[in-house]
Amino acid sequence: MSSSIRRALLLSFLGLAGKAHAAIPLQACDSPAFATVLHAAPARLEARAVWLDRRLAQWPGMASEGRFRLYHSSGGSIVAAAGAKVQGAAGVLELAVQAGAIPPAAAQRFKYVAPGPVLALNDADLSRIAQLQREQLVLVREDASGTVLAATRLQAAGALDDLYAAAEAIPDLGATPRASATTFTLWAPTAQQAAVCIYDKGTGRARAIHPLAFDATTGAWSAQAAGDLSGRYYKYAVDVVADGSGLVRNLVTDPYSVSLTTDSKRSYIADLDAARLKPQGWDMHRAPDTVRASADMSVYELHVRDFSRDDTSVPVNKRGKYTAFGETHSNGMRHLQALAKAGLTDIHLLPVYDIASVPETGCALPKPAGAASSERQQALVMKTARTDCYNWGYDPYHYNAPEGSYASDPRDGARRIIELREMVMNLHRAGLRVGMDVVYNHTFAAGQKEKSVLDRIVPGYYHRLDAAGAVAQSTCCDNTATENRMMAKLMIDSAVLWARHYRMDSFRFDLMGHQPRAAMERLQAAVDKAAGRSVQLIGEGWNFGEVENGARFVQASQLSLNGSGIGTFSDRARDAARGGGAGDAGEAVIKRQGYINGLVYDANARADKRPRSDLLQAADMIRVGLAGTLRSYPLVNADGVTRKLAEMDYGGQPAGYASQPGETVNYVENHDNQTLYDANALKLPLATSTPERARVQVLGLAINAFSQGVAYFHAGSDILRSKSLDRNSFNSGDWFNRLDWTYRTNHFGTGLPPAPDNAQDWPLFKPLLANPALRPQPQDIAFTRDAFRDLLAIRASSTLFRLRTADEVAQRLRFFNVGPQQEATVIAAHLDGRGYPGAGFAGIRYFINVDKLAHTVTDEAARGMRLRLHPVQAAATAGDKRAAEARFDSTAGSFDIPPRTAVVFVEE
């Protein structure tokens, strides 16, 4: 036994001295229940008081009169009813109202806590508080006779972070197998005891149980088992006090699990550096060296199951699996290879960590059928939505383990590790870097629910709590609290694991604005160090919920991340291009047209008459996106006034928010909301032909391709992907999330989209889905595919589309055809390439004409120049033949731009 384990056993003994704790027996490991109540709680109690540190607590809204007492009970048996005396407590501590100032660090961290008395423990009791945090604690305001005036539990994170600050440095949380012994380490500072159950297989009875020893310095429990237990499975048995339950024994998997068995029932013991877990060539292979800075990234967002589920060129047993990416001659891999050849740099995978919402074996496979606008398809899909094989995966269960439903054998904890690594290696070999979507802002479950992991180990710590102590759910689910020391550590440790052990080249953070900027910056430094290179971070910087406007901390949000180098998705050009907003419903989804689909210049039948100023404003917002949404970029606005983008208004916010181009992620479509094709199906006039609809799609993709910053594309946007108008297909099954790599159909008109998020708009959707004139033909899909590849090639051909700094953008990007007299349906810009490394050309002029008509625009600075069509568009193989109709008159400096066409001219 090591000296550290021996010391921890002694500390554990001392900490529990005087208490009778029967050791957790082996049979507990095989309990059919995930939780066993050892001593039931008499009642539930809100947690309205907040520990600010180990000594101070604040009780918002409470009067200061009376006496304050802290009662404790190891069995969770306290009853503190107003008007009565406290019952069921094992002891009590006196607290005094603090007259002095709160320490600055605590005052800043808990600035959101409403005013109320700040209470302090007596100095003599400070040495006891760590032990008492392992019991039920109830704060009571009493009168002189001891009658309860008010009672509350306390939110513990502030105390635990202060008491166990040393835990942040623990290097080996989880299971660590070595030749001589396997170590298990679990951070559970409020547990009364803990043990690890060892199993030979993913099913069957436990072979051994080892008590864990408590370290009073870190709050971690640990044990060593003899020998290398790699390939075996384990669970923890943890005795904790949980509100409303009492003292419970939770059988729970490891938050630091690196793999699991089927449906995450048991954690898997593995050394990720072991040779047996590495596919052949893993150590030697390298990612493509195509990205030197974030602005070089051209990203294709892809779901593992979507990629191959319907690809008949993939063997049946590999469809929807990690292994499909090894089928180099499949239709899907040929498509990705062609994109890489054209200039795509990255695949971003929707979640591939362990998710809670898909059965890993025996999932339902409904077979919908019905008319183009029928309700039948969605009804069948929704019938099995909770048990089918599909979900986007924003339901994190275990952050550090690969998802098992994508593995060939989810029963074997090794297979998912090996096969995910094979997928990464196969994408790298195809010329594509790999990024993954991570969802550290919430968990699938909290409290004492079966699929709650964190909360059943340290109740009330890992999640962000509201004023009553309930878990906040502004993200959709149970919000995590990455402002708390050990939740931030879990997030950072997890990202490091993926970067180091799976060679992830970048990360996309779901709802990143719910995380502190400081935590994200620490994460950036940690993953860069682990990978030995720059790992790009991008994410959703939306500002909402209980953290909105910096209510709790400086967020990793759009307006707060400038200067960090971390990228956020920009909704400025997205909404201007598409029209309307993500929350539109009813007639607004049709009436609110955007820049590319007819705003003012091609109104649909339901659109209100809109003034030309609306079109001018939309054009300016497109320019904002093309300029990288940079705060400092000066733009001549439609009123003729030059303003920095930060001085332009976007719904009450600055239009420009980024400090550098790499801090902006440009997109017009991703997995959320209707696809671009579907949005255009709603907004374009009904008479618009499918070839013209394809051209409108390309216009949206061109805005992305020409924008400074990261270019982000949704898988299938280049083949007119439709989800049959579904606005939220996260749980819409395979049927509404299909991709066709044979380019025969885009799946528009395959039934009304699922009722939960769409039924209110079915009357609007039904006639559109039933209209065969809105279904593109194979030639429309092929046109979009080829034109998109040309856009990628044009972007890749010159660093002028990928400028590194705000100063370079200001110096080298110039918009013309601006101001009040502009031709508002044409975006025109010049990029100066003189003396710029990798520019390829002395200058570039690009044009995006969204109108149904050709237009002529003039650039006085182009008079007398010799310009020609970009070689990609001039080639006989060009996807968009109409671009070749563009003309440049050197004498006049004028450009004739064909209708609904993106055109690029170059200067040698």
Side-chain angles (χ1 to χ4, degrees):
M1 180 182 296
S2 72
S3 59
S4 61
I5 297 292
R6 187 178 293 111
R7 175 175 173 270
L9 281 169
L10 176 61
L11 291 169
S12 179
F13 173 77
L14 292 174
L16 296 174
K19 298 184 183 296
H21 279 77
I24 300 173
L26 178 63
Q27 56 264 37
C29 299
D30 298 317
S31 171
F34 63 87
T36 302
V37 177
L38 305 178
H39 190 284
R44 210 173 259 287
L45 187 62
E46 291 181 337
R48 291 193 170 272
V50 178
W51 284 108
L52 306 179
D53 57 23
R54 72 180 73 190
R55 186 174 69 91
L56 300 177
Q58 188 168 349
W59 195 344
M62 186 50 55
S64 298
E65 296 78 19
R67 68 183 184 189
F68 294 88
R69 310 183 87 191
L70 186 66
Y71 290 87
H72 59 91
S73 165
S74 61
S77 56
I78 296 173
V79 176
K85 303 290 178 68
V86 172
Q87 297 178 347
V92 63
L93 281 67
E94 302 289 338
L95 285 82
V97 175
Q98 162 109 342
I102 299 172
Q108 177 61 30
R109 176 175 176 180
F110 294 105
K111 63 182 181 179
Y112 63 91
V113 176
V118 175
L119 309 170
L121 286 170
N122 295 322
D123 290 345
D125 293 327
L126 276 177
S127 61
R128 300 179 58 195
I129 196 60
Q131 169 59 33
L132 294 181
Q133 290 289 349
R134 299 162 73 183
E135 303 186 21
Q136 180 191 27
L137 294 177
V138 177
L139 177 60
V140 177
R141 185 169 74 92
E142 303 173 346
D143 65 15
S145 69
T147 300
V148 176
L149 299 174
T152 182
R153 290 185 302 112
L154 300 94
Q155 300 180 23
L160 297 180
D161 281 350
D162 185 21
L163 287 163
Y164 302 109
E168 200 169 16
I170 297 173
D172 56 354
L173 288 168
T176 307
R178 295 290 182 263
S180 60
T182 299
T183 302
F184 300 89
T185 306
L186 175 72
W187 191 70
T190 61
Q192 295 184 9
Q193 64 173 336
V196 61
C197 303
I198 309 295
Y199 307 86
D200 285 330
K201 297 180 180 179
T203 57
R205 303 184 73 80
R207 69 188 295 268
I209 187 169
H210 299 276
L212 300 178
F214 183 69
D215 180 357
T217 301
T218 63
W221 297 76
S222 58
Q224 280 188 350
D228 183 348
L229 298 182
S230 293
R232 295 194 171 101
Y233 297 84
Y234 69 106
K235 266 189 171 181
Y236 292 116
V238 185
D239 292 357
V240 293
V241 173
D243 180 55
S245 297
L247 179 62
V248 295
R249 176 165 295 155
N250 283 321
L251 268 180
V252 62
T253 45
D254 193 337
Y256 276 73
S257 299
V258 296
S259 191
L260 303 112
T261 189
T262 311
D263 292 330
S264 311
K265 296 295 186 183
R266 294 174 182 172
S267 301
Y268 180 71
I269 301 171
D271 175 4
L272 294 179
D273 285 323
R276 72 182 191 88
L277 296 178
K278 297 176 180 178
Q280 186 175 1
W282 175 254
D283 285 336
M284 299 302 295
H285 101 278
R286 296 290 179 268
D289 186 20
T290 51
V291 172
R292 304 297 174 87
S294 294
D296 286 334
M297 294 173 70
S298 293
V299 182
Y300 203 61
E301 182 192 60
L302 183 64
H303 185 278
V304 169
R305 185 169 173 83
D306 288 355
F307 172 65
S308 61
R309 176 191 56 240
D310 302 306
D311 189 346
T312 58
S313 65
V314 173
V316 173
N317 66 322
K318 295 185 178 182
R319 293 178 195 169
K321 306 294 184 182
Y322 299 126
T323 51
F325 291 86
E327 296 297 309
T328 56
H329 298 295
S330 71
N331 293 332
M333 282 306 295
R334 287 178 184 272
H335 186 86
L336 297 187
Q337 290 158 5
L339 292 176
K341 184 178 179 181
L344 190 77
T345 63
D346 288 63
I347 295 294
H348 265 206
L349 300 165
L350 266 69
V352 292
Y353 54 70
D354 182 50
I355 63 176
S357 48
V358 175
E360 293 184 346
T361 58
C363 55
L365 289 165
K367 298 187 182 301
S373 60
S374 170
E375 298 179 24
R376 290 176 54 196
Q377 298 95 320
Q378 68 83 33
L380 184 61
V381 168
M382 288 296 98
K383 189 175 181 180
T384 59
R386 294 189 177 183
T387 57
D388 70 5
C389 304
Y390 192 85
N391 197 282
W392 281 348
Y394 294 86
D395 298 319
Y397 199 172
H398 297 86
Y399 288 120
N400 299 356
E403 165 59 12
S405 67
Y406 302 144
S408 61
D409 184 1
R411 298 168 299 176
D412 180 357
R415 289 315 310 164
R416 63 183 75 188
I417 297 170
I418 295 167
E419 290 172 4
L420 195 155
R421 284 172 160 173
E422 286 176 342
M423 176 184 67
V424 171
M425 189 162 64
N426 286 321
L427 285 168
H428 282 165
R429 287 173 172 169
L432 293 161
R433 298 174 358 123
V434 183
M436 66 181 287
D437 205 325
V438 288
V439 187
Y440 297 115
N441 64 80
H442 68 256
T443 58
F444 181 72
Q448 280 295 117
K449 295 175 183 175
E450 181 175 5
K451 291 187 177 182
S452 168
V453 176
L454 299 172
D455 225 10
R456 292 203 295 126
I457 294 171
V458 192
Y461 176 81
Y462 282 101
H463 292 87
R464 190 172 296 125
L465 307 179
D466 65 16
V471 176
Q473 294 187 320
S474 57
T475 63
C476 79
C477 312
D478 294 315
N479 297 3
T480 56
T482 40
E483 63 271 30
N484 295 347
R485 189 184 304 275
M486 294 303 283
M487 184 60 219
K489 175 178 171 61
L490 174 55
M491 176 177 75
I492 294 168
D493 288 351
S494 176
V496 164
L497 180 145
W498 290 107
R500 175 182 291 152
H501 292 293
Y502 291 92
R503 309 278 184 85
M504 290 296 166
D505 302 297
S506 60
F507 294 94
R508 175 202 178 272
F509 285 77
D510 180 68
L511 299 183
M512 183 173 63
H514 270 58
Q515 269 118 232
R517 170 174 170 155
M520 289 299 302
E521 290 181 316
R522 295 201 308 274
L523 186 150
Q524 178 76 80
V527 294
D528 287 356
K529 181 179 179 181
R533 54 187 165 80
S534 179
V535 176
Q536 286 75 34
L537 305 183
I538 62 175
E540 293 180 308
W542 314 133
N543 175 36
F544 68 98
E546 71 282 357
V547 298
E548 186 175 6
N549 296 328
R552 298 201 179 200
F553 44 76
V554 177
Q555 300 157 259
S557 60
Q558 281 182 339
L559 299 183
S560 300
L561 270 176
N562 67 94
S564 68
I566 298 170
T568 60
F569 287 83
S570 174
D571 45 355
R572 277 56 168 169
R574 178 202 71 182
D575 288 351
R578 291 168 63 103
D584 286 352
E587 286 206 343
V589 300
I590 295 176
K591 293 170 66 172
R592 299 183 67 190
Q593 290 176 281
Y595 187 69
I596 64 173
N597 52 41
L599 174 65
V600 177
Y601 62 89
D602 195 18
N604 64 49
R606 292 180 185 266
D608 297 325
K609 185 171 179 58
R610 302 275 292 273
R612 182 173 181 268
S613 60
D614 284 2
L615 179 59
L616 290 169
Q617 184 177 29
D620 275 352
M621 209 52 62
I622 296 294
R623 295 181 182 103
V624 168
L626 288 163
T629 323
L630 293 167
R631 289 171 175 258
S632 58
Y633 184 82
L635 178 68
V636 178
N637 285 205
D639 60 3
V641 176
T642 299
R643 298 180 180 88
K644 292 180 178 179
L645 302 191
E647 298 167 347
M648 294 172 61
D649 179 68
Y650 174 75
Q653 304 177 71
Y657 63 81
S659 291
Q660 303 297 341
E663 294 175 358
T664 299
V665 182
N666 302 291
Y667 73 117
V668 290
E669 173 185 331
N670 70 354
H671 63 274
D672 286 318
N673 310 311
Q674 272 116 356
T675 67
L676 182 59
Y677 187 86
D678 286 348
N680 289 335
L682 292 165
K683 297 175 189 297
L684 281 166
L686 273 178
T688 308
S689 67
T690 56
E692 288 298 293
R693 290 174 184 273
R695 300 195 70 83
V696 172
Q697 183 92 359
V698 172
L699 295 174
L701 299 174
I703 291 170
N704 256 22
F706 296 164
S707 292
Q708 301 296 328
V710 177
Y712 200 90
F713 304 96
H714 184 214
S717 60
D718 54 326
I719 52 173
L720 301 180
R721 184 178 190 173
S722 169
K723 297 181 181 180
S724 211
L725 300 180
D726 193 352
R727 61 161 41 91
N728 188 18
S729 70
F730 80 102
N731 201 26
S732 298
D734 293 336
W735 183 256
F736 291 98
N737 286 284
R738 288 175 290 172
L739 285 165
D740 178 16
W741 302 126
T742 67
Y743 317 125
R744 306 302 300 170
T745 179
N746 75 337
H747 302 294
F748 183 85
T750 50
L752 284 165
D757 286 304
N758 300 281
Q760 74 273 27
D761 291 329
W762 277 358
L764 297 171
F765 292 175
K766 195 175 181 73
L768 297 174
L769 294 170
N771 187 345
L774 299 186
R775 288 177 219 143
Q777 299 302 304
Q779 58 267 31
D780 303 322
I781 296 170
F783 163 79
T784 311
R785 175 200 65 202
D786 296 343
F788 175 67
R789 292 175 186 175
D790 286 353
L791 292 172
L792 288 176
I794 290 169
R795 180 177 174 88
S797 73
S798 175
T799 52
L800 294 177
F801 291 108
R802 299 171 277 122
L803 296 169
R804 286 351 191 201
T805 70
D807 286 344
E808 290 174 352
V809 176
Q811 292 163 9
R812 295 183 179 274
L813 172 62
R814 173 180 58 85
F815 292 102
F816 54 101
N817 184 43
V818 292
Q821 303 305 316
Q822 67 181 272
E823 176 48 67
T825 53
V826 180
I827 300 293
H830 170 243
L831 287 161
D832 181 4
R834 288 177 173 80
Y836 194 72
F841 308 99
I844 290 174
R845 282 171 174 79
Y846 64 77
F847 304 84
I848 302 170
N849 180 6
V850 298
D851 202 351
K852 296 188 298 181
L853 306 173
H855 288 288
T856 299
V857 295
T858 298
D859 180 12
E860 294 295 333
R863 289 179 184 273
M865 286 189 171
R866 297 180 61 186
L867 305 179
R868 63 185 178 90
L869 202 60
H870 193 287
V872 169
Q873 292 188 317
T877 55
D880 184 359
K881 308 299 184 187
R882 189 182 288 180
E885 299 173 13
R887 296 289 182 268
F888 168 58
D889 183 332
S890 178
T891 302
S894 63
F895 299 83
D896 299 334
I897 310 300
R900 285 184 171 146
T901 306
V903 178
V904 180
F905 283 90
V906 297
E907 176 189 354
E908 296 299 342

